[in-house]
Amino acid sequence: MSRLLNTIGSFFPILQKDFKIYDGEIFSEVYDGDFYKNIPFENYINFNSSVTAENAYYIRDFGAIADNSSVNNAAAINSAIKVCSENGGGIVVVDGGSYTSGTVFLQSNVLLYIAKESAITASHNIGDFRRNSPTLSKHVDFITNGLIYAENCENIAITGPGKICGEGNYFSLAPALPPKTEPFKKALDVWDMRQEYRKRIRFAHKNKYGFLVHLRNCRQVRLHNLILENSSSWTLNLNNCNGVQVTNTVINNNRHIANTDGIDISGSSNVTIKKCFVSTADDGIVLKNSLDTGCDKAMSNIYITDCEVISCTNAFKIGTETSLDISDVTVENCKFYLNDIFPGGVSAIAIESSDGASVKNISVSDIFIDSVACPLFIRLNNRNRDNRPEFDRKGMITGVKVKNISAKNAEIPTMIMGIPTQKINGVELADFSIEYAKGRDYYDYRLKIPEQEKEYPECNRFRNINAYGIFVRHAENISLENFNVTPRERTRRKFKIIIDCENFNIK
């Protein structure tokens, strides 16, 4: 019966609607499995770090009161920042406890230092958060009133070893099911995996505030030795910035709060993400570039290295918002996994162009993957979210190189998927070692895999595919070298399925 429903469902989308909770009361309870328990903070954070007293402005001297959740300290913190900036810059010091606050506005030449065992913590009162960026589109305007915000600033920094705490569970709805901390008794169809996770999502309450840290149109930005915790939405949004260093930063989010991306590099160039640990519900480290997200130019020169990412969706992703070009991206020496809650992650590496962007010169290497369904998902389609004629059918993906990938507990093949009018051109895959998860394998009885040309691109939307190694459709100049996959026992799937692909080579 389940096979029949799966087959029928592929032709009648009404049977494939995603589960979602739309309204209800705030649900603040924290379940076992919401947060990852084994973050090696000592590998990333120097808890003995301190600052000099010279040019230091202590928020307590401006009236801030610690450890009192009924006090909104935003005015005191903002006053300290304003005076510091007007006096030529320096250090604003947060120490002596946790300071509840609404929106904090960074200014140029200011280093915001949060001491050990101290924090800026989000107020539970939505009225304490302010909007400050009327230039953004309607789509993102409602999430510009975040906790830490800077716009048109230069030479700014946030350092720890203290925390910025988002209190995300006070801005979300109750999930249908608690986290699942034990494996399923049998292997699931990937569509069922998708729904199992969605039933555990804490969707947004109508009074949710915005990003935890939002830096827009800023230059020369540094985040270092910092803990970002329990965001209610995107955790760190680097929007239209230039010259950013994010190092030794830990993101520790509730892994079931919707839309909690870890690091969003949106329209920013010359960005380095180094030695960071990200544990979150939505995409871990993600590149976006579109008018829809407030961006206005091509982005390039992104370097990501020595990071660990735990994500219930995509560990590293280019997309989904992609109407403006993205190029020259390097990701290396990282670990992408989700092995303590189930059903595991969606894609380890996702490279997408959905809205008209040219995505080119992408290099990913030396990646360890565990318990993520799809090791690599490359998708070119024509969603055109900005709904602009100049972006229609203009998207491209070219010059992608992925090598030295070690993955275990996979569920579906590497997927390279264009559409008939837009083909992916130039993908080199080398030195892959992939091992499937244990359990019963699936065979797909559908006569055709839908194109889904205008749909949101996600590997599990295509359900199970009758290839266990690689599925390629609408592409050209694809090469595989030393590409090894160990499927489940007694699989009926083929190693590869190649459809409408010119110049496909295996060495």
Side-chain angles (χ1 to χ4, degrees), residues 263 282-288 313-321 347-352 456-458:
I263 301 174
D282 212 333
D283 301 328
I285 301 175
V286 52
L287 280 58
K288 302 175 183 289
T313 55
N314 305 279
F316 167 74
K317 179 179 179 180
I318 297 176
T320 294
E321 292 83 0
S347 292
I349 304 159
I351 300 169
E352 305 167 359
Y456 185 97
E458 198 83 277

Side-chain angles (χ1 to χ4, degrees), residues 68-86:
N68 187 335
S69 61
S70 66
V71 176
N72 176 11
N73 288 289
I77 300 171
N78 285 322
S79 292
I81 291 171
K82 183 173 184 293
V83 172
C84 178
S85 182
E86 289 177 346

Side-chain angles (χ1 to χ4, degrees), residues 105-227:
F105 296 99
L106 290 181
Q107 297 190 28
S108 293
N109 303 311
V110 172
L111 186 158
L112 179 63
Y113 171 76
I114 307 173
K116 180 181 179 180
E117 298 179 353
S118 298
I120 296 176
T121 301
S123 168
H124 296 177
N125 179 8
I126 190 64
D128 291 339
F129 297 92
R130 293 167 53 190
R131 300 174 187 269
N132 196 49
S133 188
T135 60
L136 292 181
S137 70
K138 285 185 177 180
H139 175 66
V140 295
D141 181 58
F142 81 102
I143 50 177
T144 59
N145 51 346
L147 183 56
I148 309 294
Y149 185 81
E151 185 167 9
N152 298 322
C153 295
E154 62 181 11
N155 190 29
I156 59 175
I158 309 173
T159 68
K163 298 180 180 180
I164 300 174
C165 302
E167 298 287 270
N169 50 306
Y170 289 91
F171 298 90
S172 58
L173 305 173
L177 295 173
K180 186 166 178 55
T181 57
E182 296 292 334
F184 290 92
K185 292 182 179 179
K186 62 179 182 179
L188 299 179
D189 174 279
V190 291
W191 181 259
D192 294 333
M193 292 172 62
R194 179 183 174 90
Q195 303 314 310
E196 285 288 345
Y197 172 64
R198 291 183 67 86
K199 290 174 183 177
R200 292 166 171 83
I201 290 179
R202 299 164 181 249
F203 291 98
H205 188 269
K206 61 183 179 181
N207 284 333
K208 183 180 76 171
Y209 74 94
F211 307 137
L212 189 65
V213 179
H214 185 186
L215 309 178
R216 174 167 167 78
N217 290 334
C218 295
R219 295 182 297 164
Q220 303 309 313
V221 174
R222 183 168 66 97
L223 285 86
H224 176 71
N225 202 42
L226 184 66
I227 300 171

